[in-house]
Amino acid sequence: MENILQNTKNELSLLTNQYNLLRLAFLNTIGVELDTLFTLNVPFEPFIQSYELNKLLLWSFEYRPEPKQIQVEEEIDALSVKLSLAARYPTISLGGYYEFSGEKPSFEDKSWATTLSLNLPIFDGWASWSRIKQKKLQYEQQKLRRKDIEDVIRFEVQKAYIDYEFYQKELQEMAKQLKTHEAHLTEITKKDDLTSINIFVAYLRAKLNHIDAIRENLISLARLEHAIGKSLSEK
């Protein structure tokens, strides 16, 4: 019996230390004084909801900023290629002006002129071809970069999804075990002291395992939301 009580005290001490470390990390994350006392009024409840992986992947490409950013950069590079190609062709410029003196327009005292210019790109030392080649390479690099970013997003979403699904099942299993140990509590009065203590200690461990499963469930949810760039818990 003494060993059971000592083990229970040791577990309590470890949990207290873990709580203090997590509380300190939370205060440091939100940027307040580390000795601040606080109370969380949010219910500590699991998030039970199933999702399809393909739907989550579609959401990630819709809500995450990286695909939108790379798409804009691709469009800019494609436009640069077109502008570079346009420099190879002749350009014609037509201009004109009209000038009169006095406060009122007069066709008697006036001057006007028109200009017409023709620019023929005969030879520029292959500079235009070099610019075109450079712009095309930049455009192709952006396309490869887009593929790399999409692969990274797919990997992050699938990894977070597997983790989320695992803790969904783990939570259900811990809930079943807790329910079983809760049912055994009714037998405490019928058993001797040592057996009663073992039953109660087993119940406490099942309760702690269930709490840990809820915590991991919420953490995996946060990772999944971060991977897709969208909140799943908001109604």
Side-chain angles (χ1 to χ4, degrees):
M1 183 180 298
E2 292 181 0
N3 290 335
I4 295 176
L5 293 176
Q6 186 60 44
N7 291 335
T8 304
K9 289 180 181 179
N10 293 339
E11 290 182 8
L12 177 61
S13 178
L14 291 173
L15 289 173
T16 302
N17 181 65
Q18 185 180 8
Y19 166 78
N20 290 329
L21 292 176
L22 291 174
R23 181 184 64 83
L24 192 66
F26 175 76
L27 292 174
N28 184 62
T29 300
I30 63 178
V32 300
E33 295 295 333
L34 299 181
D35 57 351
T36 302
L37 299 178
F38 65 92
T39 302
L40 297 178
N41 294 323
V42 180
F44 187 69
E45 298 176 348
F47 184 82
I48 308 298
Q49 181 67 46
S50 298
Y51 295 97
E52 294 181 1
L53 178 58
N54 290 334
K55 187 174 183 180
L56 294 175
L57 288 171
L58 289 176
W59 280 346
S60 66
F61 291 120
E62 179 181 356
Y63 292 103
R64 285 189 59 160
E66 296 94 331
K68 297 178 182 179
Q69 179 182 356
I70 199 68
Q71 181 179 359
V72 172
E73 293 176 356
E74 276 188 14
E75 292 176 355
I76 293 175
D77 288 336
L79 181 60
S80 298
V81 172
K82 292 181 180 179
L83 292 175
S84 299
L85 290 172
R88 299 186 307 173
Y89 301 102
T91 56
I92 300 176
S93 301
L94 176 65
Y97 73 91
Y98 178 83
E99 182 181 0
F100 64 91
S101 59
E103 297 180 356
K104 297 182 179 180
S106 173
F107 292 99
E108 298 178 357
D109 188 11
K110 63 182 184 301
S111 62
W112 60 274
T114 59
T115 59
L116 178 65
S117 63
L118 176 63
N119 183 18
L120 297 175
I122 299 175
F123 182 71
D124 59 357
W126 309 108
S128 61
W129 289 98
S130 298
R131 286 194 297 270
I132 293 172
K133 184 177 181 180
Q134 180 184 8
K135 297 300 182 181
K136 287 183 176 180
L137 287 175
Q138 290 179 356
Y139 180 62
E140 293 299 325
Q141 288 176 352
Q142 286 295 347
K143 291 171 66 175
L144 293 175
R145 183 165 171 255
R146 179 187 183 91
K147 183 180 182 303
D148 291 339
I149 290 178
E150 290 177 349
D151 290 341
V152 170
I153 291 177
R154 289 191 184 95
F155 172 77
E156 292 178 352
V157 172
Q158 292 187 35
K159 181 180 178 181
Y161 176 77
I162 292 174
D163 195 48
Y164 175 76
E165 286 292 305
F166 170 78
Y167 284 110
Q168 288 271 40
K169 297 177 181 178
E170 188 76 3
L171 179 61
Q172 295 176 2
E173 180 61 28
M174 292 300 105
K176 291 179 181 178
Q177 293 182 16
L178 177 59
K179 188 175 181 180
T180 300
H181 287 288
E182 285 177 344
H184 291 165
L185 291 177
T186 58
E187 303 175 3
I188 287 181
T189 56
K190 304 176 184 179
K191 305 293 183 179
D192 56 81
D193 293 342
L194 182 58
T195 304
S196 298
I197 290 175
N198 287 330
I199 292 175
F200 189 72
V201 169
Y203 162 75
L204 289 178
R205 288 176 178 170
K207 184 69 174 178
L208 291 175
N209 290 337
H210 185 248
I211 292 174
D212 285 340
I214 296 176
R215 178 174 63 88
E216 294 297 337
N217 166 256
L218 297 177
I219 291 175
S220 65
L221 171 65
R223 291 190 184 124
L224 185 60
E225 290 178 336
H226 178 73
I228 65 175
K230 178 183 181 298
S231 176
L232 298 174
S233 57
E234 294 181 358
K235 296 182 180 180

